[in-house]
Amino acid sequence: MIVKGLIVPGKPHPLLAPEKAKPWGEIRKAYEAARAEIDKVNPDVLVIYSTQWLSVIGHQIQADPNPKWTHVDHEWHDLGTMPYEFRMDAQYAEAYERAARARGLHTRRVNYHGFPIDTGTVVALKLLNPDNKYAACVVSCNMYADRAETLVLGKAAADAVNATGKRAVAIAVTGLSHRLFTKQIEPSEDRIYSLKDDEWNRKLLELLGQGRLEDVSQVAREFSNQASGDQKMKALWWLAAFMGQHNRYEGKVHGYQPIWGTGAAVVSLTPGAKAELTKEFDEEDVEFFRGNQNVLKKDATATAAAVAPESSTTPTLSKPPISKTAPGAKPSTPAPPRAPADANDDLYRRASPADGAIRTDKAPKPVGAYPHARRVGDLLYLSGVGPRQPGTNEIPGGPVRDSQGKPLNYDVAAQTHAVIKNVKDILEASGSSLENVLDVSVFLIDMDRDFPTFNKVYAEYFGTIQPTRTTVAVTALPTPIAVELKVIAKA
């Protein structure tokens, strides 16, 4: 669904004054080559991360469907004005905000008439999409965000692509080396600020030309230290996380030139099927953002009250040890046995969260290594839900058997009400509701005895919603209950 990636510079010179200096004109030609590549793939949306749209409180996403204004760059105002009128994809912006929040990011949409759009975005859209043929979405660059937060932001962009089904071109608006001349220069005198910066720029472009996007993402921090990378090269972290953290791309460098001392390049990356090159990852990956001081913590204790990420990526975080006893040590007294419903309590509380997994304290704890629900795209898949009560494990209507396995009398109506209440709580913790249920699988331990009563209670909740349903008889369920539901719902 992400059909191409682009790296483009954001200085206004190629847009407003390409004729004043040969390097600026060359970058303008490179932009035109990149525009032709976009037209070949005919995407639904251009998703832009601009290092020139700086934010401090989280990340902001442009959601005004038709922003229209006149922009003047605060540094190069002498080059002239940049009137613009763009077409933004408000639907994708909403999906992006939702996906980013689900991954733990503070994110807001912007939809105000006259809200300024940064120079980098204006330059990129006017040169790559001059006729507004393609809708766009722009996300800000948080000036305090580091690698982990930026990776999660990129993955959320991919979640939104999966959720909306749109074909996207990912555009990173960024310079390479970013040392600028701090005094006025003649356009003819423009050059890369130092030989060291030029050397590092060319090393990076060599890797990009080979399609080695993840390798570039991994060396971005060192590049930034050596060549004063533009906003610590966050745009490359975002691009790699958005497109896919591997090296299987066809890379093409359309142009590399100086713009006021900085390194400016136009590069295209096309997903390909070539063999993956050897990588040496020097930093851990992260799927969910938990703040600057704890971004890589493995033992997830937070429950997902918000919707979990819409992603097809499988996480690689390892599970921490479950034992609470130091190696070699013996407890002074034996630990009391756990009740059956709590047999996997440590695993449930301490396992790393799987991508898309949803857990909530409002529902009874799972009795195995599984979450309450998982979100995939626009759908929620709930694990089997019974009537046990959160916190106490009490079974409304009574259990179906005692601790010795002896059958007991029970109230299936009370159990059915409790099951549906648990389903409702899980859906609401996932950002959905009973009204969004699409399909229900019902498991009854005694079809002849319980089906008529169950069916009557079920109709009180789902009679007007009318999800599809399958009801089957089973010999037993893992806990002493009579009924269990498995549900698929719209997110």
Side-chain angles (χ1 to χ4, degrees):
M1 301 301 291
I2 305 167
V3 294
K4 190 172 291 290
L6 294 174
I7 299 168
V8 297
K11 299 289 184 291
H13 307 69
L15 173 66
L16 297 177
E19 74 288 346
K20 288 190 176 182
K22 184 177 179 181
W24 307 348
E26 292 298 315
I27 292 297
R28 175 66 172 262
K29 292 177 183 177
Y31 253 113
E32 292 168 357
R35 174 188 171 190
E37 290 202 8
I38 292 176
D39 288 337
K40 286 181 181 179
V41 297
N42 192 32
D44 298 311
V45 61
L46 307 179
V47 185
I48 299 173
Y49 176 99
S50 175
T51 59
Q52 294 188 38
W53 183 10
L54 295 176
S55 60
V56 175
I57 302 174
H59 292 89
Q60 302 186 56
I61 300 171
Q62 178 59 251
D64 184 347
N66 185 224
K68 182 179 180 180
W69 207 248
T70 298
H71 179 71
V72 178
D73 186 88
H74 62 283
E75 289 287 354
W76 289 283
H77 43 82
D78 57 300
L79 295 181
T81 59
M82 291 176 274
Y84 62 80
E85 182 174 0
F86 297 134
R87 181 163 69 95
M88 295 292 172
D89 190 329
Q91 179 197 20
Y92 179 85
E94 181 180 0
Y96 195 175
E97 179 193 35
R98 186 169 60 246
R101 286 179 176 270
R103 285 186 179 267
L105 298 173
H106 183 84
T107 317
R108 296 180 294 175
R109 277 176 289 159
V110 173
N111 188 353
Y112 301 102
H113 176 65
F115 187 93
I117 294 181
D118 64 282
T119 297
T121 297
V122 172
V123 170
L125 283 177
K126 289 182 78 70
L127 292 178
L128 295 174
N129 189 33
D131 301 321
N132 283 326
K133 181 179 180 181
Y134 312 107
C137 179
V138 189
V139 63
S140 70
C141 169
N142 184 290
M143 63 187 301
Y144 296 116
D146 211 331
R147 183 174 186 272
E149 185 172 357
T150 309
L151 288 182
V152 173
L153 184 69
K155 291 177 180 181
D159 295 342
V161 166
N162 291 334
T164 58
K166 294 179 182 288
R167 298 172 70 254
V169 169
I171 302 174
V173 181
T174 180
L176 301 181
S177 63
H178 207 245
R179 273 185 268 261
L180 296 92
F181 295 113
T182 56
K183 297 180 180 180
Q184 286 295 124
I185 63 169
E186 292 296 324
S188 60
E189 298 174 355
D190 202 355
R191 58 176 175 80
I192 301 297
Y193 190 89
S194 72
L195 292 176
K196 178 183 177 182
D197 288 356
D198 184 51
E199 181 180 358
W200 275 95
N201 288 337
R202 292 180 186 276
K203 287 179 179 178
L204 208 67
L205 291 172
E206 181 181 358
L207 295 176
L208 289 170
Q210 296 170 358
R212 297 168 64 178
L213 177 57
E214 178 59 19
D215 283 348
V216 168
S217 172
Q218 290 291 326
V219 302
R221 199 188 298 277
E222 179 63 21
F223 175 90
S224 185
N225 291 337
Q226 296 291 336
S228 188
D230 186 0
Q231 281 296 313
K232 297 191 291 186
M233 305 310 292
K234 295 175 189 176
L236 297 185
W237 290 334
W238 174 86
L239 185 66
F242 185 10
M243 294 190 68
Q245 294 167 281
H246 55 77
N247 293 321
R248 298 187 300 275
Y249 299 98
E250 298 296 332
K252 186 170 184 180
V253 179
H254 295 284
Y256 164 59
Q257 296 292 338
I259 297 182
W260 212 265
T262 68
V266 176
V267 180
S268 64
L269 294 158
T270 306
K274 65 180 181 180
E276 188 166 4
L277 299 172
T278 301
K279 302 177 293 185
E280 291 187 9
F281 294 153
D282 62 347
E283 298 184 75
E284 286 196 70
D285 198 3
V286 59
E287 298 287 336
F288 189 91
F289 187 68
R290 294 184 175 82
N292 289 324
Q293 304 303 316
N294 198 20
V295 295
L296 295 177
K297 184 176 180 181
K298 303 280 185 68
D299 57 332
T301 57
T303 59
V307 178
E310 308 163 353
S311 174
S312 58
T313 307
T314 301
T316 58
L317 298 180
S318 59
K319 294 178 180 177
I322 294 174
S323 172
K324 298 180 181 179
T325 305
K330 296 182 179 180
S332 56
T333 57
R338 294 180 183 271
D342 290 333
N344 289 277
D345 181 51
D346 278 340
L347 184 61
Y348 168 68
R349 289 187 297 106
R350 301 191 55 163
S352 298
D355 188 36
I358 297 168
R359 296 175 174 85
T360 174
D361 290 334
K362 294 182 178 180
K365 292 177 182 175
V367 296
Y370 58 86
H372 288 110
R374 181 178 299 280
R375 178 170 183 160
V376 180
D378 284 337
L379 294 178
L380 287 166
Y381 297 85
L382 272 62
S383 299
V385 180
R388 291 182 298 116
Q389 298 297 282
T392 66
N393 284 326
E394 179 186 349
I395 299 172
V400 301
R401 60 183 181 272
D402 63 19
S403 59
Q404 305 302 316
K406 181 180 178 181
L408 299 173
N409 192 25
Y410 59 90
D411 182 351
V412 72
Q415 287 201 22
T416 303
H417 282 291
V419 169
I420 296 174
K421 172 65 163 56
N422 285 339
V423 169
K424 177 176 179 290
D425 288 341
I426 293 171
L427 289 171
E428 291 179 352
S430 305
S432 187
S433 66
L434 282 180
E435 287 70 24
N436 288 329
V437 171
L438 301 173
D439 182 76
V440 180
S441 295
V442 182
F443 304 93
L444 298 175
I445 66 164
D446 192 332
M447 187 72 73
D448 293 337
R449 175 190 188 276
D450 295 336
F451 181 77
T453 301
F454 161 80
N455 206 35
K456 182 179 179 180
V457 175
Y458 177 93
E460 294 177 18
Y461 296 90
F462 294 107
T464 58
I465 301 170
Q466 292 286 298
T468 56
R469 191 182 86 180
T470 302
T471 305
V472 297
V474 295
T475 57
L477 291 163
T479 55
I481 59 177
V483 57
E484 182 173 282
L485 302 186
K486 181 164 177 53
V487 170
I488 300 173
K490 291 186 293 185

